[in-house]
Amino acid sequence: MAMLTRVTGTPIPPPAALARRLRLGDAVAIGLGSMIGAGIFASFTPAAAAAGAGLLVGLVIAGFIAFCNATSSAQLAAQYPTSGGTYVYGRERLGDWPGFFAGWSFVVGKTASSAAMAITFATYAVPAPWVKPVAMLSVIVLTIVNTLGVTRTALLTRILVAVSLVALTVAIVIGLTHTSASAAQPGTPVTVCGVLQASGFLFFAFAGYARVATMGEEVVDPTRTIPRAITIALTATLAIYALVAVSALHALGPAGLATSAAPLGEVAATSGADWPGVVIRIGAAAAALGALLAMIAGIGRTSLAMARNRDLPSWFAAVHPRFHVPYRAELALGFIVCVLVAVTDLRGAIGFSSFGVLLYYFVANLSAWTQDRTHRRYPRTLAIAGAIGCLVLVATLPVGAIVAGVVVLAVGMGYRFVRLRTAR
Protein backbone atom coordinates (compact mmCIF):
# COMPACT_ATOMS: atom_id res chain seq x y z
CA MET A 1 0.00 0.00 0.00
CA ALA A 2 1.36 3.41 -0.90
CA MET A 3 2.06 5.58 2.08
CA LEU A 4 2.04 8.96 0.29
CA THR A 5 0.49 10.24 -2.91
CA ARG A 6 3.12 11.14 -5.49
CA VAL A 7 1.07 13.92 -7.10
CA THR A 8 0.33 16.19 -4.18
CA GLY A 9 2.70 14.96 -1.47
CA THR A 10 -0.25 14.78 0.95
CA PRO A 11 0.16 11.98 3.49
CA ILE A 12 -2.32 9.12 3.45
CA PRO A 13 -2.75 7.73 6.98
CA PRO A 14 -1.40 4.18 7.12
CA PRO A 15 -3.50 1.39 8.60
CA ALA A 16 -1.75 1.70 11.98
CA ALA A 17 -0.83 5.37 12.22
CA LEU A 18 1.27 6.82 15.03
CA ALA A 19 -0.25 9.43 17.34
CA ARG A 20 0.66 13.15 17.06
CA ARG A 21 1.84 14.01 20.57
CA LEU A 22 5.12 15.92 20.17
CA ARG A 23 5.00 19.71 20.41
CA LEU A 24 7.76 22.22 19.59
CA GLY A 25 9.53 21.89 22.95
CA ASP A 26 9.48 18.10 22.72
CA ALA A 27 10.86 18.13 19.17
CA VAL A 28 13.66 20.58 20.08
CA ALA A 29 14.57 18.46 23.12
CA ILE A 30 14.81 15.31 21.00
CA GLY A 31 17.03 17.13 18.48
CA LEU A 32 19.27 18.53 21.21
CA GLY A 33 19.45 15.18 22.97
CA SER A 34 20.59 13.51 19.76
CA MET A 35 23.27 16.05 18.87
CA ILE A 36 24.73 17.07 22.21
CA GLY A 37 25.33 13.53 23.41
CA ALA A 38 26.74 12.34 20.10
CA GLY A 39 29.34 15.02 19.53
CA ILE A 40 30.54 16.65 22.69
CA PHE A 41 31.63 13.47 24.43
CA ALA A 42 32.55 11.18 21.54
CA SER A 43 33.82 12.77 18.34
CA PHE A 44 36.29 15.47 19.45
CA THR A 45 39.06 12.97 20.21
CA PRO A 46 39.22 11.28 16.77
CA ALA A 47 38.75 14.68 15.12
CA ALA A 48 41.71 16.13 17.02
CA ALA A 49 43.79 13.07 16.14
CA ALA A 50 43.07 13.69 12.45
CA ALA A 51 43.36 17.50 12.28
CA GLY A 52 45.37 18.64 15.29
CA ALA A 53 44.99 22.38 15.71
CA GLY A 54 42.80 22.38 12.57
CA LEU A 55 39.97 20.91 14.65
CA LEU A 56 38.13 24.25 14.75
CA VAL A 57 38.29 24.57 10.96
CA GLY A 58 36.89 21.07 10.68
CA LEU A 59 34.10 22.04 13.07
CA VAL A 60 33.17 25.02 10.90
CA ILE A 61 33.08 22.88 7.75
CA ALA A 62 30.99 20.18 9.46
CA GLY A 63 28.66 22.84 10.83
CA PHE A 64 28.13 24.42 7.41
CA ILE A 65 27.37 21.08 5.75
CA ALA A 66 25.05 20.25 8.63
CA PHE A 67 23.26 23.58 8.10
CA CYS A 68 22.77 22.80 4.41
CA ASN A 69 21.43 19.37 5.27
CA ALA A 70 19.18 20.78 7.96
CA THR A 71 17.54 23.26 5.58
CA SER A 72 16.91 20.47 3.07
CA SER A 73 15.49 18.20 5.76
CA ALA A 74 13.30 20.97 7.18
CA GLN A 75 11.58 21.87 3.93
CA LEU A 76 11.14 18.22 2.96
CA ALA A 77 9.67 17.37 6.37
CA ALA A 78 7.18 20.22 6.00
CA GLN A 79 5.96 18.72 2.70
CA TYR A 80 6.01 15.08 3.86
CA PRO A 81 5.20 15.06 7.61
CA THR A 82 5.29 11.31 8.17
CA SER A 83 7.59 8.71 9.69
CA GLY A 84 10.70 7.76 7.76
CA GLY A 85 12.58 10.98 7.04
CA THR A 86 14.76 10.90 3.92
CA TYR A 87 13.67 7.35 3.15
CA VAL A 88 10.24 8.82 2.36
CA TYR A 89 11.62 11.97 0.71
CA GLY A 90 13.88 9.94 -1.58
CA ARG A 91 11.02 7.68 -2.65
CA GLU A 92 8.71 10.61 -3.35
CA ARG A 93 11.19 12.90 -5.10
CA LEU A 94 13.72 10.53 -6.72
CA GLY A 95 12.25 7.05 -6.85
CA ASP A 96 12.06 3.83 -4.87
CA TRP A 97 15.72 2.82 -5.15
CA PRO A 98 17.18 6.17 -3.96
CA GLY A 99 14.67 6.12 -1.12
CA PHE A 100 15.75 2.63 -0.08
CA PHE A 101 19.42 3.67 -0.36
CA ALA A 102 18.78 6.55 2.05
CA GLY A 103 16.72 4.49 4.47
CA TRP A 104 19.20 1.63 4.60
CA SER A 105 22.11 4.08 5.02
CA PHE A 106 20.30 5.71 7.93
CA VAL A 107 19.37 2.47 9.67
CA VAL A 108 22.88 0.97 9.51
CA GLY A 109 24.65 4.27 10.23
CA LYS A 110 22.51 5.17 13.22
CA THR A 111 22.63 1.64 14.56
CA ALA A 112 26.41 2.09 14.73
CA SER A 113 25.83 5.49 16.36
CA SER A 114 23.69 3.84 19.00
CA ALA A 115 26.51 1.45 19.84
CA ALA A 116 28.94 4.40 20.04
CA MET A 117 26.65 6.25 22.45
CA ALA A 118 26.16 3.21 24.66
CA ILE A 119 29.94 2.75 24.88
CA THR A 120 30.42 6.49 25.57
CA PHE A 121 27.89 6.37 28.41
CA ALA A 122 29.55 3.38 30.04
CA THR A 123 33.06 4.83 29.59
CA TYR A 124 32.13 7.84 31.71
CA ALA A 125 29.87 5.96 34.13
CA VAL A 126 31.85 2.88 35.23
CA PRO A 127 35.42 1.50 35.43
CA ALA A 128 36.92 -0.03 32.27
CA PRO A 129 36.18 -3.71 33.01
CA TRP A 130 32.46 -2.95 33.25
CA VAL A 131 32.11 -0.78 30.13
CA LYS A 132 30.71 -3.40 27.75
CA PRO A 133 28.19 -5.01 30.15
CA VAL A 134 26.88 -1.64 31.36
CA ALA A 135 26.67 -0.34 27.79
CA MET A 136 24.50 -3.31 26.80
CA LEU A 137 22.34 -2.86 29.90
CA SER A 138 21.74 0.80 28.96
CA VAL A 139 20.57 -0.27 25.50
CA ILE A 140 18.10 -2.74 26.99
CA VAL A 141 16.65 -0.21 29.45
CA LEU A 142 16.26 2.60 26.92
CA THR A 143 14.74 0.25 24.34
CA ILE A 144 12.07 -0.63 26.90
CA VAL A 145 11.47 3.08 27.63
CA ASN A 146 10.98 3.76 23.92
CA THR A 147 8.41 0.99 23.62
CA LEU A 148 6.29 2.64 26.36
CA GLY A 149 5.38 5.66 24.22
CA VAL A 150 6.90 8.71 22.55
CA THR A 151 5.87 11.17 25.29
CA ARG A 152 7.96 9.21 27.80
CA THR A 153 10.86 9.34 25.34
CA ALA A 154 10.53 13.15 25.08
CA LEU A 155 10.24 13.64 28.86
CA LEU A 156 13.31 11.57 29.67
CA THR A 157 15.25 13.33 26.89
CA ARG A 158 14.44 16.75 28.41
CA ILE A 159 15.81 15.62 31.78
CA LEU A 160 18.99 14.17 30.27
CA VAL A 161 19.62 17.28 28.14
CA ALA A 162 19.24 19.55 31.19
CA VAL A 163 21.77 17.52 33.18
CA SER A 164 24.28 17.46 30.31
CA LEU A 165 24.01 21.23 29.76
CA VAL A 166 24.91 21.87 33.40
CA ALA A 167 28.00 19.68 33.00
CA LEU A 168 29.00 21.37 29.74
CA THR A 169 28.77 24.78 31.38
CA VAL A 170 31.19 23.61 34.07
CA ALA A 171 33.56 22.19 31.43
CA ILE A 172 33.52 25.39 29.39
CA VAL A 173 34.29 27.62 32.38
CA ILE A 174 37.14 25.37 33.59
CA GLY A 175 38.55 24.87 30.09
CA LEU A 176 38.74 28.60 29.42
CA THR A 177 40.43 29.35 32.76
CA HIS A 178 42.85 26.39 33.23
CA THR A 179 45.49 24.54 31.20
CA SER A 180 47.32 21.22 31.50
CA ALA A 181 50.92 20.28 30.75
CA SER A 182 49.87 18.87 27.36
CA ALA A 183 48.43 22.19 26.19
CA ALA A 184 51.80 23.36 24.84
CA GLN A 185 52.62 20.14 22.99
CA PRO A 186 52.24 20.11 19.21
CA GLY A 187 49.50 17.90 17.88
CA THR A 188 48.97 16.23 14.52
CA PRO A 189 50.26 18.42 11.64
CA VAL A 190 47.42 20.32 10.00
CA THR A 191 46.63 19.10 6.47
CA VAL A 192 43.67 19.57 4.16
CA CYS A 193 42.90 15.86 4.23
CA GLY A 194 43.15 15.78 8.02
CA VAL A 195 40.82 18.74 8.44
CA LEU A 196 38.25 17.16 6.10
CA GLN A 197 38.49 13.83 7.92
CA ALA A 198 37.94 15.67 11.20
CA SER A 199 34.87 17.26 9.61
CA GLY A 200 33.60 13.78 8.79
CA PHE A 201 34.01 12.66 12.41
CA LEU A 202 32.41 15.85 13.71
CA PHE A 203 29.51 15.54 11.29
CA PHE A 204 28.57 12.45 13.29
CA ALA A 205 27.84 14.90 16.09
CA PHE A 206 25.47 17.17 14.15
CA ALA A 207 23.20 14.56 12.61
CA GLY A 208 20.65 14.53 15.44
CA TYR A 209 18.29 17.00 13.79
CA ALA A 210 17.23 14.17 11.48
CA ARG A 211 15.53 12.55 14.45
CA VAL A 212 12.87 15.25 14.40
CA ALA A 213 12.14 14.63 10.72
CA THR A 214 12.02 10.84 11.05
CA MET A 215 9.38 11.25 13.78
CA GLY A 216 7.24 13.59 11.66
CA GLU A 217 4.14 11.41 12.00
CA GLU A 218 4.10 12.11 15.76
CA VAL A 219 4.62 15.91 15.66
CA VAL A 220 1.71 18.28 16.25
CA ASP A 221 1.30 20.81 13.38
CA PRO A 222 4.33 19.29 11.58
CA THR A 223 4.45 21.76 8.67
CA ARG A 224 5.22 24.57 11.10
CA THR A 225 6.79 22.73 14.02
CA ILE A 226 9.41 20.54 12.30
CA PRO A 227 11.32 23.32 10.44
CA ARG A 228 11.35 25.46 13.59
CA ALA A 229 12.52 22.60 15.80
CA ILE A 230 15.33 21.65 13.42
CA THR A 231 16.57 25.25 13.14
CA ILE A 232 16.47 25.89 16.89
CA ALA A 233 18.16 22.61 17.83
CA LEU A 234 20.97 22.95 15.26
CA THR A 235 21.69 26.62 16.07
CA ALA A 236 21.91 25.92 19.79
CA THR A 237 24.15 22.91 19.22
CA LEU A 238 26.51 24.85 16.95
CA ALA A 239 27.00 27.48 19.65
CA ILE A 240 27.60 24.86 22.36
CA TYR A 241 30.05 22.89 20.21
CA ALA A 242 32.08 25.98 19.41
CA LEU A 243 32.43 26.92 23.08
CA VAL A 244 33.36 23.39 24.14
CA ALA A 245 35.90 22.99 21.31
CA VAL A 246 37.67 26.25 22.15
CA SER A 247 37.75 25.47 25.88
CA ALA A 248 38.98 21.88 25.37
CA LEU A 249 41.78 22.99 23.04
CA HIS A 250 42.77 25.71 25.50
CA ALA A 251 42.91 23.30 28.43
CA LEU A 252 44.41 20.18 26.81
CA GLY A 253 45.92 21.35 23.52
CA PRO A 254 45.58 19.38 20.26
CA ALA A 255 47.92 16.60 21.43
CA GLY A 256 46.17 16.07 24.76
CA LEU A 257 42.72 16.13 23.19
CA ALA A 258 43.75 13.62 20.51
CA THR A 259 44.82 10.99 23.04
CA SER A 260 42.11 11.37 25.66
CA ALA A 261 39.48 8.67 26.18
CA ALA A 262 37.34 11.10 28.20
CA PRO A 263 38.44 14.59 27.10
CA LEU A 264 36.01 16.69 29.10
CA GLY A 265 36.83 14.68 32.20
CA GLU A 266 40.47 15.65 31.70
CA VAL A 267 39.42 19.27 31.17
CA ALA A 268 37.71 19.14 34.57
CA ALA A 269 40.85 17.63 36.12
CA THR A 270 42.87 20.74 35.20
CA SER A 271 41.00 22.62 37.94
CA GLY A 272 42.67 20.51 40.63
CA ALA A 273 39.34 19.90 42.40
CA ASP A 274 37.39 16.65 42.50
CA TRP A 275 33.80 17.88 42.16
CA PRO A 276 34.07 19.17 38.54
CA GLY A 277 35.13 15.70 37.41
CA VAL A 278 32.08 14.16 39.08
CA VAL A 279 29.79 16.70 37.44
CA ILE A 280 31.35 16.06 34.02
CA ARG A 281 31.02 12.30 34.35
CA ILE A 282 27.36 12.60 35.29
CA GLY A 283 26.71 15.06 32.46
CA ALA A 284 28.55 12.95 29.90
CA ALA A 285 26.64 9.85 30.90
CA ALA A 286 23.33 11.76 30.70
CA ALA A 287 24.17 13.24 27.30
CA ALA A 288 25.12 9.88 25.85
CA LEU A 289 21.93 8.31 27.20
CA GLY A 290 19.87 11.16 25.70
CA ALA A 291 21.46 10.59 22.30
CA LEU A 292 20.95 6.83 22.53
CA LEU A 293 17.31 7.25 23.52
CA ALA A 294 16.57 9.56 20.58
CA MET A 295 18.47 7.36 18.12
CA ILE A 296 16.50 4.26 19.03
CA ALA A 297 13.29 6.22 18.49
CA GLY A 298 14.44 7.60 15.11
CA ILE A 299 15.71 4.29 13.75
CA GLY A 300 12.50 2.60 14.83
CA ARG A 301 10.42 5.11 12.83
CA THR A 302 12.55 4.75 9.70
CA SER A 303 12.36 0.96 9.99
CA LEU A 304 8.59 1.28 10.34
CA ALA A 305 8.35 3.31 7.13
CA MET A 306 10.56 0.84 5.25
CA ALA A 307 8.56 -2.13 6.52
CA ARG A 308 5.31 -0.51 5.38
CA ASN A 309 6.70 -0.57 1.85
CA ARG A 310 8.21 -4.06 2.36
CA ASP A 311 11.75 -2.69 2.02
CA LEU A 312 12.22 -4.39 5.38
CA PRO A 313 10.21 -7.42 6.50
CA SER A 314 6.59 -6.35 7.05
CA TRP A 315 6.79 -7.86 10.57
CA PHE A 316 8.54 -4.61 11.63
CA ALA A 317 5.53 -2.49 10.60
CA ALA A 318 3.54 -3.45 13.70
CA VAL A 319 2.46 -0.52 15.91
CA HIS A 320 1.61 -1.23 19.54
CA PRO A 321 -2.17 -0.80 20.04
CA ARG A 322 -1.75 0.99 23.38
CA PHE A 323 1.54 2.90 23.20
CA HIS A 324 1.42 3.67 19.45
CA VAL A 325 5.10 2.93 18.80
CA PRO A 326 6.83 0.53 16.33
CA TYR A 327 7.72 -1.82 19.15
CA ARG A 328 8.91 -4.78 17.07
CA ALA A 329 11.37 -2.63 15.12
CA GLU A 330 12.70 -1.08 18.33
CA LEU A 331 13.09 -4.42 20.13
CA ALA A 332 14.98 -5.89 17.17
CA LEU A 333 17.17 -2.78 17.03
CA GLY A 334 18.00 -3.07 20.73
CA PHE A 335 19.23 -6.62 20.20
CA ILE A 336 21.42 -5.65 17.21
CA VAL A 337 22.95 -2.68 19.07
CA CYS A 338 23.85 -4.97 21.99
CA VAL A 339 25.69 -7.24 19.57
CA LEU A 340 27.58 -4.27 18.08
CA VAL A 341 28.56 -3.03 21.54
CA ALA A 342 30.09 -6.42 22.23
CA VAL A 343 32.23 -6.53 19.06
CA THR A 344 33.18 -2.92 18.15
CA ASP A 345 35.10 0.06 19.55
CA LEU A 346 34.19 3.75 19.69
CA ARG A 347 36.35 5.06 16.83
CA GLY A 348 35.23 2.32 14.43
CA ALA A 349 31.58 2.90 15.28
CA ILE A 350 31.88 6.66 14.68
CA GLY A 351 33.58 6.25 11.29
CA PHE A 352 31.05 3.68 10.09
CA SER A 353 28.17 5.81 11.34
CA SER A 354 29.44 8.91 9.54
CA PHE A 355 29.66 6.95 6.28
CA GLY A 356 26.01 5.90 6.42
CA VAL A 357 24.63 9.21 7.67
CA LEU A 358 26.52 11.31 5.11
CA LEU A 359 25.05 9.23 2.28
CA TYR A 360 21.62 9.59 3.87
CA TYR A 361 21.90 13.37 3.74
CA PHE A 362 23.29 13.24 0.22
CA VAL A 363 19.93 11.81 -0.87
CA ALA A 364 18.11 14.39 1.27
CA ASN A 365 19.88 17.24 -0.52
CA LEU A 366 19.15 15.77 -3.95
CA SER A 367 15.50 15.38 -2.94
CA ALA A 368 15.28 18.99 -1.76
CA TRP A 369 16.84 20.19 -5.00
CA THR A 370 13.85 18.73 -6.93
CA GLN A 371 11.19 20.53 -4.87
CA ASP A 372 9.11 23.18 -6.63
CA ARG A 373 8.84 26.82 -5.58
CA THR A 374 5.68 26.17 -3.57
CA HIS A 375 7.46 23.90 -1.11
CA ARG A 376 10.98 25.36 -1.25
CA ARG A 377 11.89 27.50 1.77
CA TYR A 378 15.63 27.93 1.13
CA PRO A 379 17.84 28.55 -1.94
CA ARG A 380 18.62 25.50 -4.07
CA THR A 381 22.32 26.35 -3.81
CA LEU A 382 22.25 25.14 -0.20
CA ALA A 383 21.04 21.72 -1.32
CA ILE A 384 23.79 21.53 -3.97
CA ALA A 385 26.46 22.60 -1.45
CA GLY A 386 25.18 20.04 1.06
CA ALA A 387 25.24 17.20 -1.48
CA ILE A 388 28.79 17.98 -2.60
CA GLY A 389 29.96 18.40 0.97
CA CYS A 390 28.55 15.03 1.99
CA LEU A 391 30.41 13.24 -0.81
CA VAL A 392 33.67 15.02 -0.01
CA LEU A 393 33.49 14.05 3.67
CA VAL A 394 32.64 10.44 2.81
CA ALA A 395 35.78 10.22 0.66
CA THR A 396 38.00 11.41 3.53
CA LEU A 397 36.79 8.91 6.15
CA PRO A 398 39.13 6.08 7.24
CA VAL A 399 39.46 3.34 4.63
CA GLY A 400 38.16 0.70 7.02
CA ALA A 401 34.95 2.64 7.61
CA ILE A 402 34.43 3.12 3.88
CA VAL A 403 35.01 -0.55 3.05
CA ALA A 404 32.69 -1.74 5.82
CA GLY A 405 30.05 0.77 4.73
CA VAL A 406 30.19 -0.30 1.09
CA VAL A 407 29.83 -3.96 2.08
CA VAL A 408 26.81 -3.34 4.30
CA LEU A 409 25.17 -1.12 1.67
CA ALA A 410 25.70 -3.85 -0.92
CA VAL A 411 24.02 -6.38 1.38
CA GLY A 412 20.98 -4.11 1.74
CA MET A 413 20.69 -3.35 -1.95
CA GLY A 414 21.09 -7.05 -2.73
CA TYR A 415 18.31 -7.92 -0.29
CA ARG A 416 15.91 -5.54 -2.01
CA PHE A 417 16.86 -6.79 -5.47
CA VAL A 418 16.24 -10.41 -4.48
CA ARG A 419 12.94 -9.50 -2.80
CA LEU A 420 11.68 -7.72 -5.90
CA ARG A 421 12.71 -10.60 -8.18
CA THR A 422 11.03 -13.10 -5.85
CA ALA A 423 7.84 -11.01 -5.75
CA ARG A 424 7.65 -11.01 -9.53
Side-chain angles (χ1 to χ4, degrees):
M1 175 180 178
M3 184 165 53
L4 301 171
T5 62
R6 295 188 181 275
V7 176
T8 64
T10 302
I12 300 173
L18 304 178
R20 294 197 182 277
R21 295 173 175 173
L22 298 178
R23 301 189 179 277
L24 177 63
D26 300 320
V28 171
I30 288 173
L32 285 174
S34 301
M35 288 185 279
I36 289 177
I40 295 293
F41 300 101
S43 59
F44 276 178
T45 292
L55 168 67
L56 294 178
V57 179
L59 181 64
V60 171
I61 295 172
F64 173 73
I65 296 174
F67 173 75
C68 295
N69 298 339
T71 56
S72 294
S73 297
Q75 67 185 26
L76 285 163
Q79 184 176 358
Y80 304 105
T82 189
S83 292
T86 301
Y87 167 70
V88 172
Y89 314 149
R91 284 178 63 92
E92 295 302 310
R93 305 306 310 177
L94 304 173
D96 293 350
W97 275 104
F100 177 84
F101 179 83
W104 185 249
S105 296
F106 180 86
V107 168
V108 298
K110 284 304 174 183
T111 300
S113 294
S114 298
M117 284 304 95
I119 294 171
T120 300
F121 158 71
T123 298
Y124 278 92
V126 297
W130 292 96
V131 167
K132 296 280 185 165
V134 171
M136 287 187 279
L137 178 62
S138 70
V139 173
I140 294 170
V141 171
L142 294 189
T143 299
I144 294 172
V145 170
N146 264 304
T147 60
L148 296 179
V150 71
T151 53
R152 291 172 176 80
T153 299
L155 175 61
L156 182 54
T157 301
R158 283 175 181 265
I159 296 171
L160 294 173
V161 167
V163 172
S164 61
L165 287 177
V166 171
L168 290 176
T169 302
V170 172
I172 290 169
V173 172
I174 292 175
L176 293 176
T177 55
H178 296 77
T179 57
S180 68
S182 66
Q185 297 176 6
T188 303
V190 179
T191 64
V192 173
C193 183
V195 169
L196 291 176
Q197 187 174 106
S199 298
F201 283 125
L202 291 168
F203 184 84
F204 163 84
F206 286 108
Y209 49 80
R211 222 72 67 250
V212 182
T214 57
M215 302 176 72
E217 193 173 320
E218 295 159 280
V219 175
V220 177
D221 189 13
T223 302
R224 183 168 179 266
T225 301
I226 293 176
R228 291 178 63 196
I230 289 175
T231 303
I232 293 171
L234 180 60
T235 301
T237 301
L238 280 168
I240 294 169
Y241 279 15
L243 288 171
V244 173
V246 170
S247 63
L249 284 172
H250 179 266
L252 304 180
L257 187 58
T259 57
S260 174
L264 296 192
E266 294 193 15
V267 169
T270 62
S271 69
D274 292 333
W275 69 265
V278 175
V279 173
I280 294 299
R281 294 182 74 88
I282 294 174
L289 284 180
L292 177 59
L293 183 67
M295 285 177 191
I296 293 173
I299 300 168
R301 273 63 180 179
T302 300
S303 300
L304 169 68
M306 296 179 73
R308 285 171 172 172
N309 290 296
R310 298 188 64 197
D311 280 337
L312 286 179
S314 57
W315 185 82
F316 293 119
V319 174
H320 196 282
R322 177 183 175 187
F323 299 119
H324 303 285
V325 296
Y327 67 104
R328 288 180 181 173
E330 290 182 345
L331 290 173
L333 170 67
F335 173 77
I336 295 171
V337 173
C338 284
V339 173
L340 285 178
V341 167
V343 301
T344 191
D345 60 25
L346 186 60
R347 182 183 175 92
I350 290 176
F352 181 80
S353 172
S354 295
F355 177 87
V357 175
L358 283 164
L359 293 180
Y360 172 84
Y361 283 112
F362 173 72
V363 176
N365 284 304
L366 293 183
S367 301
W369 184 81
T370 68
Q371 287 181 285
D372 55 34
R373 290 183 179 274
T374 303
H375 297 100
R376 194 181 310 132
R377 298 172 177 232
Y378 304 96
R380 297 177 81 183
T381 52
L382 289 178
I384 297 172
I388 295 173
C390 287
L391 291 181
V392 170
L393 294 189
V394 164
T396 61
L397 289 173
V399 175
I402 295 175
V403 171
V406 169
V407 170
V408 174
L409 282 178
V411 170
M413 304 295 276
Y415 161 78
R416 187 171 194 271
F417 177 79
V418 171
R419 183 188 67 78
L420 291 176
R421 291 293 298 269
T422 303
R424 293 195 189 99

